[in-house]
Each structure stands twice: as structure tokens, then as C-alpha cells.
Amino acid sequence: MDTLFIILLGFIFFFVILPGFTIIMQFEKGVVFTLGRYSKTIEPGLRWTIPLIQTVQKIDLRIETVDIPKQEVITKDNIPVNINAAVYFQVKRPENAVIKISDYVFAVIQLTQSALKDIIGNNDLDTILSERKRLGEEIKSIVDEATDRWGIDIDSINVQEIEVDL
């Protein structure tokens, strides 16, 4: 009887209790779902969730850098330019980044590409070449406003290369 009890305790420990432990790194937060519904956001450290009932999705809170590939854009004065940029962003509300959008990195890239084309297309070549920083701030404000509801904060957008197609 005692050996059966010890085997049962060992089974419960190794297959029920132990798999419930999760380590959340200092730069992450964990979004916990209980039977598929959002229940809470957990802080860094050793955390325990109920196996098979709760799942944890870890979200990195560090600033991410994404390269926006070259885009061909026609300026206001009808000059084609190839332009690329870099976006620096950070997840501020991990539960929104998980629940409200399926792939927030892809969405940030798509929004930035669209805003980049819009802002560059509404300016002439001289303005684009001389006011690169201001144009980056305009693009940032457009993208930041759209990503705010997803829990994403745009730190900065840098217009990197501008090539004129003649």
C-alpha cells in the first residue's frame, strides 16, 4: 500500500505539478489564458499555472528593431525614389499585443510601409532630402497612433537611405 501511494505521489508530481512551472525572464511578461480566455498577466520569476487548464504566452518587453525594406515611392514633384527605414518599438501592454492582433511585428511593418509611402509621396524631393528627421517624426506619429490600441509604443522611426531613380 505504501509503495503504491509513493508511486501515485511521484506520478502526480512529475506529470501534474512539475509541468505547471514556468520561468518568466526579467525582460518578459506572461499572458495567462485559462481554458482559452484571458485571465491575467504574470510578472517575471518562477510562476506556476495549472497544466492543461492554463497556458502562458511569453511576450518580450525589450525594444525591437525592424528594418523596413526599400520602397519605391513617387514624390510630390514626380521623382521616383527608393527609400528604407528602421522602426524601434516596444510592447507596453502584453495582453493587448496578444489578444487584439495576431502578429504585431508584421502589422507594425505594414503600417510603417504605408505611412512611409504616404508621407514621402506628399513631399517634394528637396524636402525629403533636407528634412529626414521631421519626416521620420511624422511617420512615427501616424504609426504610434494606430498601434496604441495594440499595446505597442513606437520609440522612433529613422529614414535611412534615400536613392533617387533617374
Side-chain angles (χ1 to χ4, degrees), residues 60-152:
D60 195 327
L61 300 179
R62 296 177 289 187
I63 293 177
E64 292 188 47
T65 305
V66 178
D67 185 47
I68 304 301
K70 277 191 179 160
Q71 306 291 309
E72 185 173 338
V73 183
I74 306 294
T75 64
K76 190 175 183 179
D77 48 354
N78 290 326
I79 299 172
V81 293
N82 288 317
I83 190 163
N84 71 339
V87 182
Y88 302 88
F89 66 94
Q90 185 175 26
V91 175
K92 293 293 187 179
R93 291 184 310 281
E95 58 279 356
N96 287 358
V98 171
I99 295 169
K100 294 193 176 182
I101 191 151
S102 64
D103 186 352
Y104 62 84
V105 175
F106 181 72
V108 167
I109 292 169
Q110 295 300 307
L111 269 170
T112 305
Q113 284 178 339
S114 176
L116 180 71
K117 288 180 178 181
D118 185 43
I119 296 297
I120 298 302
N122 287 327
N123 286 282
D124 58 29
L125 183 61
D126 288 338
T127 305
I128 293 168
L129 294 173
S130 63
E131 298 182 25
R132 188 183 292 201
K133 188 163 182 76
R134 182 186 61 81
L135 295 174
E137 287 297 320
E138 282 184 44
I139 297 166
K140 176 192 177 294
S141 68
I142 292 169
V143 177
D144 200 21
E145 183 180 327
T147 59
D148 189 49
R149 63 187 166 168
W150 304 333
I152 309 291

Side-chain angles (χ1 to χ4, degrees), residues 30-68:
V31 179
V32 179
F33 293 92
T34 304
L35 296 174
R37 293 191 68 167
Y38 169 76
S39 57
K40 61 184 172 182
T41 301
I42 54 177
E43 298 294 321
L46 180 63
R47 302 289 179 240
W48 190 78
T49 55
I50 304 166
L52 301 174
I53 304 291
Q54 293 180 319
T55 57
V56 178
Q57 187 168 349
K58 296 178 184 180
I59 299 296
D60 195 327
L61 300 179
R62 296 177 289 187
I63 293 177
E64 292 188 47
T65 305
V66 178
D67 185 47
I68 304 301

Side-chain angles (χ1 to χ4, degrees), residues 21-33:
F21 284 105
T22 303
I23 295 175
I24 307 293
M25 301 302 285
Q26 182 65 40
F27 53 85
E28 297 175 322
K29 284 202 178 173
V31 179
V32 179
F33 293 92

